[in-house]
Amino acid sequence: MTATDPALTALAQGWCALSLLHGRIEAHVERALQSGHDLSVREYSLLDVLSRQHDGEGGHLQMKQVAEAVVLSQSATTRLVTRLEDRGLLERYLCPTDRRGIYTNVTGEGLTLLAAARPTNDSALREALDEAAENPELAPLVRVVETLKAPAAA
């Protein structure tokens, strides 16, 4: 294969389109969350992921799992947790079965903010996808996104 190989060119074009779609969606949702709730997309995602924890088997996430879920490094996730903890939206506590483990829960204030921000997030996401669907290069990707479903819990 050479750099001018049509397969590589198509692959690069597809990747560029996917990157463009992601950037447009993230920027649109970021503006909506910032202006309406003083939350970034990452902060919203973190609150959302942590709000889904439960007391059952495997219901609490370790920091590595949280980092993977919000697509950040562990150190960036820790900084994000600290910022939200300073705002009173999260709290950390020791794992009751392993004193070395530290878990993070969303506070009542964090749950209230998340509930208020969820319709904004969902609406901004829908708007961004609808706008992108009007672009012939992005429309096929929008259709794929709209057919995706969350993976079933293990």
Side-chain angles (χ1 to χ4, degrees):
M1 280 194 197
T2 66
T4 58
D5 185 310
L8 288 178
T9 302
L11 185 63
Q13 288 173 337
W15 172 244
C16 286
L18 182 59
S19 181
L20 177 62
L21 178 62
H22 175 268
R24 285 184 179 187
I25 291 170
E26 188 168 52
H28 190 82
V29 174
E30 179 82 25
R31 285 189 301 273
L33 288 172
Q34 282 289 349
S35 67
H37 307 283
D38 193 29
L39 277 177
S40 71
V41 168
R42 297 289 187 206
E43 291 167 338
Y44 175 87
S45 295
L46 180 64
L47 289 172
D48 183 54
V49 164
L50 291 175
S51 74
R52 297 172 192 275
Q53 296 183 118
H54 56 84
D55 289 331
E57 180 70 27
H60 290 273
L61 301 173
Q62 297 172 349
M63 197 58 70
K64 179 182 179 192
Q65 295 167 303
V66 174
E68 289 172 1
V70 296
V71 194
L72 290 172
S73 68
Q74 280 189 258
S75 61
T77 302
T78 299
R79 288 190 301 274
L80 185 58
V81 165
T82 299
R83 278 199 314 271
L84 293 178
E85 186 178 35
D86 290 346
R87 289 177 58 185
L89 303 175
L90 297 177
E91 60 190 3
R92 295 181 218 210
Y93 65 96
L94 291 175
C95 172
T97 58
D98 180 357
R99 305 297 279 175
R100 297 169 296 172
I102 298 175
Y103 291 129
T104 305
N105 270 341
V106 182
T107 64
E109 186 179 344
L111 290 172
T112 299
L113 180 58
L114 180 61
R118 191 176 307 281
T120 302
N121 179 79
D122 295 349
S123 175
L125 176 58
R126 180 75 265 157
E127 291 167 5
L129 286 169
D130 288 347
E131 184 179 304
E134 308 228 352
N135 180 324
E137 292 178 359
L138 300 180
L141 293 172
V142 171
R143 287 192 296 274
V144 169
V145 168
E146 291 173 336
T147 63
L148 293 175
K149 294 188 175 29

